[in-house]
Amino acid sequence: MKISKRLQNLPDQFFSSLVEKVGKKVAEGHDVINLGQGNPDQPTPKHIVEAMKTASENPMNHKYSLFRGKQELKQAVADFYAREYNVTIDPNTEVAILFGTKTGLVELPMCLIDPGDVMLLPDPGYPDYLSGAVLGEVQFETMPLIAENDFLPDFNKIPEEIAKKAELMYLNYPNNPTGAVATTHFFEETVAFAKENNITIAHDFAYGGIGFDGKKPISFLETPGAKEVGIELYTLSKTYNMAGWRVGFAVGNKDVVEAINLIQDHMYVSLFPGIQDAAIEALTGDQTCVQELNARYESRRNAFIAACDKIGWEAIAPAGSFFAWMPVPKEFTSSEFADYLLNEVSVAVADGSGFGTFGEGYVRVGLLMDEKRLEEAVARISKLHLFDKVAQN
């Protein structure tokens, strides 16, 4: 049976290899501390689950939903942005309901650019950005994210010929995998660069609800002129522990939103109406759960980084997201180090090179278990004496 070249060209699913390795280790009877995952470990808040239960019993929700989602959910999105970011969103023209933001990110190149056109992707970055480029049959150039520039792309280092060719750019702050956050000045530079080069910006705001040290992550749409050049994609997966519910939205530029809605008209009807009702409750209901979750992740971050400091494994503490981006000892590649930790002390981390060329030299650690388990992982790693010289100095 023939399989299309489009599918044959898709990159290997990076995380499937990690899952397989961890599963094999567990099957052998080892107690694996899995810090390589990105799946929230807490349950969905009860008031959201109750809203879903009620909605599922409503016969009206058993029918097809409106093609482009419930108007009440779009209004809830607009109210959320007004409350959280002081950004005005037109629920009629500036909101597209998504089957999780991964769907939006993968389908966006097909919406906005043609085969052979160029898009800009962060390196390191979320691996499924590449899936969208391949399925859209577009070319891509990468923007290095390095520690010396606070893991922000340097637009001045993008060659002029590439900047002029590019039609779409992906950004993601708080950042997966580095934990870096964007600044107001950076987003102002982004808008100026986009206008100068006629580039559409898609800001992946998946970790928008998770910021530390009293600093709330900023929305791209807070920047003057942002809606003129792009959109922001927000998922309920992280902020409300709704990863399995697969619900998110894109907001911003009305032409981009219309393009997303148009492609989805041909691919779906819409989300199960009950999930939309639960999403309305999440966005408009009691937000105490968000504050508590943020505090939980900050406590975990502090415990993990403190434990690492004690053994000499030094890194920049993440300012947002639930990931820590940890440097690899010089005698290892990222892949070798990840395998070494799993094989020697049953600690799983994500190989940084799986996120891009500039991910080499790092591993990603997920802060998705309690402080004691994170500290135990570091204690196991300390027995390998990888950082003894650093700690002594």
Side-chain angles (χ1 to χ4, degrees), residues 171-204:
L171 295 172
N172 165 223
Y173 294 98
N175 184 256
N176 175 14
T178 70
V181 296
T183 63
T184 298
H185 177 67
F186 170 73
F187 277 152
E188 289 171 348
E189 286 186 332
T190 301
V191 170
F193 183 79
K195 288 184 175 181
E196 180 182 354
N197 295 286
N198 196 29
I199 297 173
T200 300
I201 305 297
H203 180 231
D204 177 5

mmCIF file of all heavy atoms in Angstrom, residues 171-204:
data_model
loop_
_atom_site.group_PDB
_atom_site.id
_atom_site.type_symbol
_atom_site.label_atom_id
_atom_site.label_comp_id
_atom_site.label_asym_id
_atom_site.label_seq_id
_atom_site.Cartn_x
_atom_site.Cartn_y
_atom_site.Cartn_z
ATOM 1 N N LEU A 171 7.306 31.576 17.753
ATOM 2 C CA LEU A 171 7.971 31.896 19.008
ATOM 3 C C LEU A 171 7.234 31.191 20.131
ATOM 4 O O LEU A 171 6.057 30.826 19.976
ATOM 5 C CB LEU A 171 7.977 33.409 19.251
ATOM 6 C CG LEU A 171 8.780 34.266 18.271
ATOM 7 C CD1 LEU A 171 8.517 35.747 18.543
ATOM 8 C CD2 LEU A 171 10.268 33.963 18.365
ATOM 9 N N ASN A 172 7.895 31.029 21.278
ATOM 10 C CA ASN A 172 7.298 30.273 22.385
ATOM 11 C C ASN A 172 7.914 30.720 23.705
ATOM 12 O O ASN A 172 9.021 30.321 24.040
ATOM 13 C CB ASN A 172 7.523 28.774 22.139
ATOM 14 C CG ASN A 172 7.283 27.907 23.351
ATOM 15 O OD1 ASN A 172 8.043 26.994 23.642
ATOM 16 N ND2 ASN A 172 6.224 28.175 24.073
ATOM 17 N N TYR A 173 7.159 31.568 24.447
ATOM 18 C CA TYR A 173 7.617 32.045 25.767
ATOM 19 C C TYR A 173 6.437 32.132 26.727
ATOM 20 O O TYR A 173 5.397 32.654 26.336
ATOM 21 C CB TYR A 173 8.310 33.410 25.635
ATOM 22 C CG TYR A 173 9.592 33.306 24.851
ATOM 23 C CD1 TYR A 173 9.624 33.616 23.497
ATOM 24 C CD2 TYR A 173 10.749 32.829 25.457
ATOM 25 C CE1 TYR A 173 10.789 33.467 22.765
ATOM 26 C CE2 TYR A 173 11.924 32.679 24.721
ATOM 27 C CZ TYR A 173 11.935 33.002 23.378
ATOM 28 O OH TYR A 173 13.097 32.841 22.664
ATOM 29 N N PRO A 174 6.601 31.599 27.971
ATOM 30 C CA PRO A 174 7.734 30.860 28.503
ATOM 31 C C PRO A 174 8.092 29.685 27.592
ATOM 32 O O PRO A 174 7.213 29.040 27.021
ATOM 33 C CB PRO A 174 7.258 30.394 29.873
ATOM 34 C CG PRO A 174 6.251 31.429 30.284
ATOM 35 C CD PRO A 174 5.549 31.773 29.006
ATOM 36 N N ASN A 175 9.386 29.404 27.526
ATOM 37 C CA ASN A 175 9.908 28.555 26.469
ATOM 38 C C ASN A 175 10.045 27.093 26.865
ATOM 39 O O ASN A 175 10.518 26.765 27.953
ATOM 40 C CB ASN A 175 11.277 29.096 26.035
ATOM 41 C CG ASN A 175 11.860 28.333 24.869
ATOM 42 O OD1 ASN A 175 12.764 27.536 25.026
ATOM 43 N ND2 ASN A 175 11.338 28.577 23.691
ATOM 44 N N ASN A 176 9.631 26.251 25.969
ATOM 45 C CA ASN A 176 9.913 24.824 26.009
ATOM 46 C C ASN A 176 10.978 24.575 24.937
ATOM 47 O O ASN A 176 10.711 24.834 23.760
ATOM 48 C CB ASN A 176 8.652 24.024 25.695
ATOM 49 C CG ASN A 176 8.884 22.533 25.596
ATOM 50 O OD1 ASN A 176 9.913 22.017 26.000
ATOM 51 N ND2 ASN A 176 7.922 21.815 25.027
ATOM 52 N N PRO A 177 12.188 24.196 25.312
ATOM 53 C CA PRO A 177 12.562 23.511 26.556
ATOM 54 C C PRO A 177 13.334 24.350 27.574
ATOM 55 O O PRO A 177 13.650 23.831 28.643
ATOM 56 C CB PRO A 177 13.476 22.407 26.034
ATOM 57 C CG PRO A 177 14.212 23.074 24.893
ATOM 58 C CD PRO A 177 13.188 23.983 24.240
ATOM 59 N N THR A 178 13.696 25.606 27.286
ATOM 60 C CA THR A 178 14.705 26.299 28.097
ATOM 61 C C THR A 178 14.166 26.931 29.370
ATOM 62 O O THR A 178 14.946 27.262 30.273
ATOM 63 C CB THR A 178 15.393 27.403 27.279
ATOM 64 O OG1 THR A 178 14.468 28.482 27.045
ATOM 65 C CG2 THR A 178 15.910 26.868 25.945
ATOM 66 N N GLY A 179 12.847 27.147 29.476
ATOM 67 C CA GLY A 179 12.286 27.816 30.649
ATOM 68 C C GLY A 179 12.471 29.324 30.633
ATOM 69 O O GLY A 179 12.135 29.998 31.609
ATOM 70 N N ALA A 180 12.990 29.874 29.532
ATOM 71 C CA ALA A 180 13.201 31.324 29.429
ATOM 72 C C ALA A 180 11.873 32.043 29.207
ATOM 73 O O ALA A 180 10.889 31.450 28.742
ATOM 74 C CB ALA A 180 14.150 31.636 28.278
ATOM 75 N N VAL A 181 11.842 33.334 29.531
ATOM 76 C CA VAL A 181 10.658 34.149 29.298
ATOM 77 C C VAL A 181 11.014 35.330 28.399
ATOM 78 O O VAL A 181 12.179 35.748 28.320
ATOM 79 C CB VAL A 181 10.035 34.665 30.613
ATOM 80 C CG1 VAL A 181 9.540 33.501 31.457
ATOM 81 C CG2 VAL A 181 11.031 35.509 31.394
ATOM 82 N N ALA A 182 10.016 35.871 27.730
ATOM 83 C CA ALA A 182 10.205 37.033 26.863
ATOM 84 C C ALA A 182 10.088 38.312 27.670
ATOM 85 O O ALA A 182 9.465 38.346 28.733
ATOM 86 C CB ALA A 182 9.174 37.025 25.743
ATOM 87 N N THR A 183 10.675 39.363 27.149
ATOM 88 C CA THR A 183 10.569 40.690 27.753
ATOM 89 C C THR A 183 9.690 41.578 26.884
ATOM 90 O O THR A 183 9.476 41.295 25.698
ATOM 91 C CB THR A 183 11.948 41.344 27.876
ATOM 92 O OG1 THR A 183 12.504 41.527 26.555
ATOM 93 C CG2 THR A 183 12.894 40.478 28.700
ATOM 94 N N THR A 184 9.213 42.669 27.469
ATOM 95 C CA THR A 184 8.438 43.637 26.696
ATOM 96 C C THR A 184 9.259 44.158 25.522
ATOM 97 O O THR A 184 8.756 44.275 24.392
ATOM 98 C CB THR A 184 8.016 44.803 27.604
ATOM 99 O OG1 THR A 184 7.181 44.294 28.651
ATOM 100 C CG2 THR A 184 7.247 45.860 26.816
ATOM 101 N N HIS A 185 10.535 44.459 25.780
ATOM 102 C CA HIS A 185 11.406 44.980 24.724
ATOM 103 C C HIS A 185 11.560 43.974 23.588
ATOM 104 O O HIS A 185 11.532 44.352 22.402
ATOM 105 C CB HIS A 185 12.775 45.329 25.303
ATOM 106 C CG HIS A 185 13.767 45.799 24.277
ATOM 107 N ND1 HIS A 185 13.623 46.995 23.602
ATOM 108 C CD2 HIS A 185 14.914 45.217 23.800
ATOM 109 C CE1 HIS A 185 14.644 47.149 22.765
ATOM 110 N NE2 HIS A 185 15.425 46.081 22.857
ATOM 111 N N PHE A 186 11.720 42.689 23.923
ATOM 112 C CA PHE A 186 11.864 41.678 22.882
ATOM 113 C C PHE A 186 10.624 41.619 22.006
ATOM 114 O O PHE A 186 10.721 41.545 20.770
ATOM 115 C CB PHE A 186 12.140 40.305 23.488
ATOM 116 C CG PHE A 186 12.066 39.192 22.479
ATOM 117 C CD1 PHE A 186 13.071 39.036 21.536
ATOM 118 C CD2 PHE A 186 10.975 38.336 22.447
ATOM 119 C CE1 PHE A 186 12.993 38.034 20.573
ATOM 120 C CE2 PHE A 186 10.894 37.334 21.489
ATOM 121 C CZ PHE A 186 11.909 37.179 20.555
ATOM 122 N N PHE A 187 9.441 41.628 22.602
ATOM 123 C CA PHE A 187 8.219 41.578 21.801
ATOM 124 C C PHE A 187 8.046 42.838 20.951
ATOM 125 O O PHE A 187 7.515 42.774 19.839
ATOM 126 C CB PHE A 187 7.007 41.350 22.698
ATOM 127 C CG PHE A 187 6.764 39.903 23.053
ATOM 128 C CD1 PHE A 187 6.129 39.560 24.246
ATOM 129 C CD2 PHE A 187 7.147 38.879 22.202
ATOM 130 C CE1 PHE A 187 5.894 38.233 24.571
ATOM 131 C CE2 PHE A 187 6.921 37.542 22.525
ATOM 132 C CZ PHE A 187 6.285 37.218 23.715
ATOM 133 N N GLU A 188 8.507 43.964 21.444
ATOM 134 C CA GLU A 188 8.481 45.190 20.629
ATOM 135 C C GLU A 188 9.408 45.029 19.419
ATOM 136 O O GLU A 188 9.051 45.429 18.295
ATOM 137 C CB GLU A 188 8.910 46.388 21.477
ATOM 138 C CG GLU A 188 7.878 46.795 22.522
ATOM 139 C CD GLU A 188 8.391 47.842 23.507
ATOM 140 O OE1 GLU A 188 9.623 48.102 23.527
ATOM 141 O OE2 GLU A 188 7.569 48.387 24.255
ATOM 142 N N GLU A 189 10.577 44.447 19.642
ATOM 143 C CA GLU A 189 11.490 44.165 18.529
ATOM 144 C C GLU A 189 10.851 43.183 17.535
ATOM 145 O O GLU A 189 11.035 43.315 16.326
ATOM 146 C CB GLU A 189 12.791 43.561 19.059
ATOM 147 C CG GLU A 189 13.722 44.534 19.746
ATOM 148 C CD GLU A 189 15.043 43.878 20.117
ATOM 149 O OE1 GLU A 189 15.044 42.639 20.343
ATOM 150 O OE2 GLU A 189 16.057 44.586 20.177
ATOM 151 N N THR A 190 10.125 42.216 18.068
ATOM 152 C CA THR A 190 9.477 41.219 17.219
ATOM 153 C C THR A 190 8.456 41.871 16.287
ATOM 154 O O THR A 190 8.424 41.587 15.078
ATOM 155 C CB THR A 190 8.776 40.151 18.086
ATOM 156 O OG1 THR A 190 9.738 39.520 18.928
ATOM 157 C CG2 THR A 190 8.098 39.110 17.219
ATOM 158 N N VAL A 191 7.626 42.741 16.827
ATOM 159 C CA VAL A 191 6.616 43.424 16.010
ATOM 160 C C VAL A 191 7.295 44.263 14.932
ATOM 161 O O VAL A 191 6.889 44.259 13.755
ATOM 162 C CB VAL A 191 5.700 44.292 16.889
ATOM 163 C CG1 VAL A 191 4.809 45.188 16.021
ATOM 164 C CG2 VAL A 191 4.831 43.411 17.785
ATOM 165 N N ALA A 192 8.349 44.993 15.303
ATOM 166 C CA ALA A 192 9.058 45.835 14.333
ATOM 167 C C ALA A 192 9.680 44.980 13.224
ATOM 168 O O ALA A 192 9.602 45.328 12.031
ATOM 169 C CB ALA A 192 10.128 46.651 15.045
ATOM 170 N N PHE A 193 10.303 43.859 13.620
ATOM 171 C CA PHE A 193 10.932 42.964 12.636
ATOM 172 C C PHE A 193 9.875 42.375 11.704
ATOM 173 O O PHE A 193 10.096 42.268 10.483
ATOM 174 C CB PHE A 193 11.684 41.856 13.375
ATOM 175 C CG PHE A 193 12.438 40.911 12.488
ATOM 176 C CD1 PHE A 193 13.667 41.275 11.964
ATOM 177 C CD2 PHE A 193 11.927 39.650 12.196
ATOM 178 C CE1 PHE A 193 14.376 40.393 11.138
ATOM 179 C CE2 PHE A 193 12.622 38.773 11.385
ATOM 180 C CZ PHE A 193 13.855 39.142 10.854
ATOM 181 N N ALA A 194 8.734 41.975 12.266
ATOM 182 C CA ALA A 194 7.663 41.391 11.463
ATOM 183 C C ALA A 194 7.121 42.407 10.449
ATOM 184 O O ALA A 194 6.878 42.070 9.284
ATOM 185 C CB ALA A 194 6.542 40.903 12.370
ATOM 186 N N LYS A 195 6.931 43.640 10.884
ATOM 187 C CA LYS A 195 6.422 44.671 9.973
ATOM 188 C C LYS A 195 7.434 44.978 8.874
ATOM 189 O O LYS A 195 7.070 45.147 7.701
ATOM 190 C CB LYS A 195 6.085 45.932 10.762
ATOM 191 C CG LYS A 195 4.834 45.805 11.625
ATOM 192 C CD LYS A 195 4.490 47.123 12.313
ATOM 193 C CE LYS A 195 3.179 47.011 13.076
ATOM 194 N NZ LYS A 195 2.809 48.291 13.733
ATOM 195 N N GLU A 196 8.689 45.073 9.245
ATOM 196 C CA GLU A 196 9.734 45.411 8.272
ATOM 197 C C GLU A 196 9.858 44.351 7.182
ATOM 198 O O GLU A 196 10.127 44.660 6.018
ATOM 199 C CB GLU A 196 11.064 45.574 8.992
ATOM 200 C CG GLU A 196 12.231 45.929 8.075
ATOM 201 C CD GLU A 196 13.547 46.048 8.813
ATOM 202 O OE1 GLU A 196 13.551 45.965 10.069
ATOM 203 O OE2 GLU A 196 14.586 46.228 8.145
ATOM 204 N N ASN A 197 9.650 43.084 7.560
ATOM 205 C CA ASN A 197 9.875 41.978 6.626
ATOM 206 C C ASN A 197 8.598 41.268 6.194
ATOM 207 O O ASN A 197 8.666 40.244 5.502
ATOM 208 C CB ASN A 197 10.832 40.972 7.258
ATOM 209 C CG ASN A 197 12.212 41.557 7.492
ATOM 210 O OD1 ASN A 197 12.981 41.743 6.571
ATOM 211 N ND2 ASN A 197 12.513 41.880 8.748
ATOM 212 N N ASN A 198 7.449 41.794 6.598
ATOM 213 C CA ASN A 198 6.151 41.221 6.217
ATOM 214 C C ASN A 198 6.049 39.748 6.626
ATOM 215 O O ASN A 198 5.726 38.870 5.825
ATOM 216 C CB ASN A 198 5.916 41.376 4.709
ATOM 217 C CG ASN A 198 4.455 41.171 4.335
ATOM 218 O OD1 ASN A 198 3.554 41.430 5.140
ATOM 219 N ND2 ASN A 198 4.213 40.712 3.128
ATOM 220 N N ILE A 199 6.320 39.494 7.901
ATOM 221 C CA ILE A 199 6.289 38.137 8.465
ATOM 222 C C ILE A 199 5.128 38.024 9.445
ATOM 223 O O ILE A 199 4.905 38.923 10.256
ATOM 224 C CB ILE A 199 7.614 37.819 9.190
ATOM 225 C CG1 ILE A 199 8.787 37.827 8.205
ATOM 226 C CG2 ILE A 199 7.541 36.474 9.919
ATOM 227 C CD1 ILE A 199 10.143 37.679 8.869
ATOM 228 N N THR A 200 4.399 36.932 9.381
ATOM 229 C CA THR A 200 3.346 36.645 10.351
ATOM 230 C C THR A 200 3.954 35.950 11.567
ATOM 231 O O THR A 200 4.725 34.997 11.430
ATOM 232 C CB THR A 200 2.261 35.745 9.741
ATOM 233 O OG1 THR A 200 1.677 36.407 8.617
ATOM 234 C CG2 THR A 200 1.166 35.434 10.755
ATOM 235 N N ILE A 201 3.587 36.421 12.756
ATOM 236 C CA ILE A 201 4.104 35.844 14.001
ATOM 237 C C ILE A 201 3.044 34.937 14.623
ATOM 238 O O ILE A 201 1.875 35.320 14.748
ATOM 239 C CB ILE A 201 4.471 36.946 15.018
ATOM 240 C CG1 ILE A 201 5.466 37.941 14.404
ATOM 241 C CG2 ILE A 201 5.018 36.332 16.305
ATOM 242 C CD1 ILE A 201 6.796 37.345 14.015
ATOM 243 N N ALA A 202 3.461 33.742 15.015
ATOM 244 C CA ALA A 202 2.600 32.837 15.787
ATOM 245 C C ALA A 202 3.297 32.585 17.119
ATOM 246 O O ALA A 202 4.338 31.913 17.159
ATOM 247 C CB ALA A 202 2.378 31.533 15.040
ATOM 248 N N HIS A 203 2.740 33.147 18.191
ATOM 249 C CA HIS A 203 3.349 32.969 19.506
ATOM 250 C C HIS A 203 2.642 31.852 20.255
ATOM 251 O O HIS A 203 1.456 31.941 20.572
ATOM 252 C CB HIS A 203 3.269 34.265 20.325
ATOM 253 C CG HIS A 203 3.895 34.126 21.682
ATOM 254 N ND1 HIS A 203 3.259 34.480 22.847
ATOM 255 C CD2 HIS A 203 5.110 33.631 22.059
ATOM 256 C CE1 HIS A 203 4.056 34.231 23.875
ATOM 257 N NE2 HIS A 203 5.174 33.710 23.427
ATOM 258 N N ASP A 204 3.394 30.800 20.531
ATOM 259 C CA ASP A 204 2.905 29.633 21.265
ATOM 260 C C ASP A 204 2.999 29.952 22.757
ATOM 261 O O ASP A 204 4.082 29.927 23.338
ATOM 262 C CB ASP A 204 3.771 28.432 20.878
ATOM 263 C CG ASP A 204 3.422 27.159 21.621
ATOM 264 O OD1 ASP A 204 2.439 27.168 22.389
ATOM 265 O OD2 ASP A 204 4.148 26.162 21.446
#
